[in-house]
């Protein structure tokens, strides 16, 4: 990919374009003022002028624009852990989530159809709040991580006791490991004939993951999402893990957080599920989320209940954005609508240019191939 023109590079380094061109010439490269230069050449030229080049993607550039406030430690308050459930296909992730949701939502509160939202929050029997990210799969997790979003505090890796540690189990473990997120293992389907948790423990130990029952450091729990056996204990173990992290956030500041998912609803416009990570989001706030912006018209929780505000670790659906940001995009509350709009437009332009540039690249290659 070609990044910037000789002219732009010169002005970034505060030298004349003639100087850049003559350095290029000395390298046997003929460039004109407006010619775009590739990464390797940029690095080389910059080095000649005593500069070190750092390539950041458009996405990183975008995330870095809004400078975050640094919180005073005194303002930090305990927040609920954010938990993601991962594991191999059919090992029981959805069943576990469904069981937790149905058992821990006060009956009557639901009042009709529970809508699918990518994140929800429950109060456990011990009275603690836990937020679950209902990620559709590993791709979503990877995509979010690739976009610099760190949202999960604890990962539950579900392994079916009547099966084995499978490729996606390993993948889940690796994802958590790379992200530096603690793991709690859930050995699911223990009610099934043929369930053999000892075999699973053995397989994990071969991967150097020794569970506590075997003298290791990883917490694990046998569960059945059918009968509910062990699910409360699993949640307590997750909470224990979370306690060690001393999760805190300042609720009294402009909200910041991450987009979980977004879609266009015929009647309501763009519906964005976001996770507030610090501060308190209120109806009427101006938000900037990825390349989109808007004023929060309404907020609801996963049961569709209207909310006026949402604090740290709260997942909410927001109405009022002018487009659908991507999962993993950061959101910020802004003071001025004008600033939000300007930044959103600028980000959109960066993303568009990036697409055009990569598209151009593809076209050139295709032309080359046809010859
Ligand atoms: P994907 O989303 O396709 O990756 O699967 P999943 O991990 O969400 O698995 P899901 O919860 O859909 O469960 C797969 C099958 O296993 C379903 O038929 C469930 O009814 C069954 N199942 C899940 N948990 C249990 C359990 O604890 N006991 C028994 N007997 N069956 C279970
Ligand atoms: Mg599922």
């Amino acid at each position: 990919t070609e990044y910037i023109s000789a002219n732009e590079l010169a002005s970034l380094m505060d030298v004349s374009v003639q100087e850049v061109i003559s350095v290029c010439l000395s390298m046997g490269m003929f460039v004109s003022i407006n010619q775009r230069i590739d990464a390797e050449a940029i690095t080389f030229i910059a080095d000649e002028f005593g500069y070190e080049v750092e390539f950041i993607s458009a996405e990183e550039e975008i995330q870095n624009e809004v400078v975050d406030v640094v919180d005073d430690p005194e303002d930090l308050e305990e927040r609920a852990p954010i938990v993601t459930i991962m594991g191999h296909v059919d090992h029981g992730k959805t069943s576990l989530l469904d069981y937790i949701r149905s058992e821990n939502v006060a009956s009557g509160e639901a009042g009709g159809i529970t809508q699918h939202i990518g994140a929800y929050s429950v109060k456990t029997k011990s009275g603690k709040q836990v937020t679950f990210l209902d990620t559709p799969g590993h791709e979503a997790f990877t995509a979010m991580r690739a976009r610099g979003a760190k949202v999960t505090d604890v990962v539950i890796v579900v392994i079916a006791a009547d099966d084995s540690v499978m490729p996606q189990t390993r993948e889940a473990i690796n994802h958590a490991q790379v992200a530096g997120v603690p793991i709690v293992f859930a050995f699911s389907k223990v009610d099934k004939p043929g369930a053999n948790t000892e075999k699973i423990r053995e397989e994990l130990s071969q991967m150097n993951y020794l569970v506590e029952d075997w003298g290791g450091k990883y917490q694990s729990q046998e569960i059945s999402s059918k009968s509910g056996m062990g699910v409360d204990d699993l949640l307590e173990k997750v909470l224990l893990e979370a306690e060690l992290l001393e999760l805190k956030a300042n609720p009294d500041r402009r909200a910041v957080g991450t987009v979980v998912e977004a879609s266009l609803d015929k009647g309501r416009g763009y519906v964005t599920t976001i996770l507030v990570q610090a501060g308190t989001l209120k109806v009427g706030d101006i938000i900037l989320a990825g390349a989109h912006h808007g004023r929060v018209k309404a907020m609801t929780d996963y049961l569709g209940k209207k909310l006026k505000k949402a604090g740290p670790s709260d997942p909410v659906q927001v109405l009022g954005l002018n487009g659908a940001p991507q999962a993993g995009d950061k959101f910020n509350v802004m003071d001025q609508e004008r600033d939000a709009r300007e930044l959103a437009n600028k980000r959109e332009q960066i993303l568009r240019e990036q697409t055009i540039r990569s598209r151009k690249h593809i076209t050139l290659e295709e032309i080359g191939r046809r010859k």
Side-chain angles (χ1 to χ4, degrees):
T1 11
E2 285 83 29
Y3 289 84
I4 50 173
S5 67
N7 205 12
E8 287 166 318
L9 179 59
S11 71
L12 276 178
M13 297 188 299
D14 208 17
V15 299
S16 72
V17 67
Q18 278 75 29
E19 283 177 273
V20 169
I21 290 174
S22 71
V23 164
C24 290
L25 269 177
S26 72
M27 289 159 55
M29 245 177 72
F30 300 90
V31 297
S32 60
I33 292 180
N34 291 315
Q35 190 173 332
R36 285 184 181 279
I37 312 173
D38 68 25
E40 202 184 338
I42 289 173
T43 308
F44 199 92
I45 297 163
D47 187 56
E48 288 288 298
F49 289 95
Y51 285 92
E52 204 179 309
V53 188
E54 192 188 355
F55 291 92
I56 38 179
S57 68
E59 269 153 21
E60 280 174 283
E61 194 176 326
I62 277 170
Q63 304 286 12
N64 289 338
E65 259 166 16
V66 181
V67 182
D68 220 354
V69 238
V70 178
D71 288 308
D72 187 333
E74 278 182 17
D75 297 330
L76 300 179
E77 288 176 24
E78 198 184 320
R79 67 166 175 85
I82 297 159
V83 179
T84 305
I85 299 181
M86 297 204 287
H88 196 72
V89 181
D90 273 356
H91 275 198
K93 302 175 293 289
T94 303
S95 303
L96 174 60
L97 272 167
D98 287 348
Y99 184 85
I100 293 171
R101 189 161 36 190
S102 66
E103 275 298 296
N104 293 283
V105 173
S107 51
E109 201 182 323
I113 317 139
T114 305
Q115 32 187 314
H116 170 82
I117 120 162
Y120 62 86
S121 178
V122 298
K123 199 179 212 138
T124 66
K125 288 181 181 134
S126 60
K128 294 265 188 185
Q129 205 76 26
V130 181
T131 297
F132 285 95
L133 273 189
D134 191 0
T135 58
H138 301 243
E139 299 78 29
F141 192 82
T142 314
M144 280 174 100
R145 235 194 38 235
R147 329 193 70 232
K150 190 190 180 298
V151 278
T152 307
D153 299 309
V154 180
V155 167
I156 296 177
V157 174
V158 175
I159 311 172
D162 66 340
D163 199 4
S164 308
V165 167
M166 298 296 280
Q168 277 181 56
T169 315
R170 290 172 201 275
E171 222 178 277
I173 294 171
N174 286 340
H175 281 317
Q177 190 73 23
V178 173
V181 177
I183 300 169
V184 176
F185 291 103
F187 303 144
S188 62
K189 309 194 190 185
V190 291
D191 59 281
K192 284 183 88 170
N196 184 354
T197 50
E198 282 299 275
K199 189 187 109 192
I200 307 290
R201 289 186 186 92
E202 165 69 31
E203 289 173 347
L204 284 175
S205 78
Q206 281 169 9
M207 294 171 64
N208 279 324
Y209 284 84
L210 217 53
V211 294
E212 275 187 341
D213 312 353
W214 280 30
K217 62 172 182 175
Y218 292 93
Q219 296 201 81
S220 66
Q221 179 63 48
E222 300 186 357
I223 60 157
S224 164
S225 302
K226 254 211 169 104
S227 69
M229 191 217 99
V231 175
D232 288 341
D233 293 327
L234 174 68
L235 291 182
E236 288 312 308
K237 287 178 179 175
V238 167
L239 285 167
L240 200 72
E241 209 61 62
E243 233 167 72
L244 298 174
L245 299 171
E246 295 183 34
L247 302 168
K248 286 179 179 157
N250 176 8
D252 300 313
R253 47 167 283 184
R254 288 187 306 186
V256 293
T258 302
V259 171
V260 176
E261 60 185 13
S263 59
L264 179 59
D265 181 287
K266 255 192 235 154
R268 298 182 294 166
Y270 288 98
V271 181
T272 313
T273 302
I274 57 172
L275 191 64
V276 179
Q277 288 173 285
T280 298
L281 183 67
K282 304 178 196 77
V283 170
D285 277 351
I286 298 155
I287 54 176
L288 170 69
H292 301 283
H293 69 101
R295 201 178 270 274
V296 179
K297 275 199 290 195
M299 269 197 295
T300 50
D301 67 8
Y302 76 101
L303 297 168
K305 198 172 91 189
K306 281 216 154 102
L307 303 172
K308 285 214 163 65
K309 54 185 187 175
S313 298
D314 282 344
V316 282
Q317 281 195 318
V318 167
L319 298 184
L321 279 180
N322 71 337
Q326 287 176 272
D329 274 344
K330 262 193 173 174
F331 83 84
N332 298 78
V333 167
M334 310 285 289
D335 277 334
Q336 303 289 331
E337 193 143 19
R338 179 167 30 94
D339 294 344
R341 192 186 321 121
E342 252 171 41
L343 275 173
N345 290 344
K346 199 171 134 199
R347 289 170 173 190
E348 214 195 337
Q349 195 187 339
I350 291 173
L351 290 177
R352 203 181 321 130
E353 276 173 9
Q354 194 186 28
T355 334
I356 290 170
R357 248 180 257 168
S358 44
R359 224 185 271 143
K360 221 187 237 168
H361 198 70
I362 291 166
T363 319
L364 285 179
E365 263 182 8
E366 281 174 349
I367 291 168
R369 224 176 283 138
R370 246 179 256 135
K371 267 183 186 171

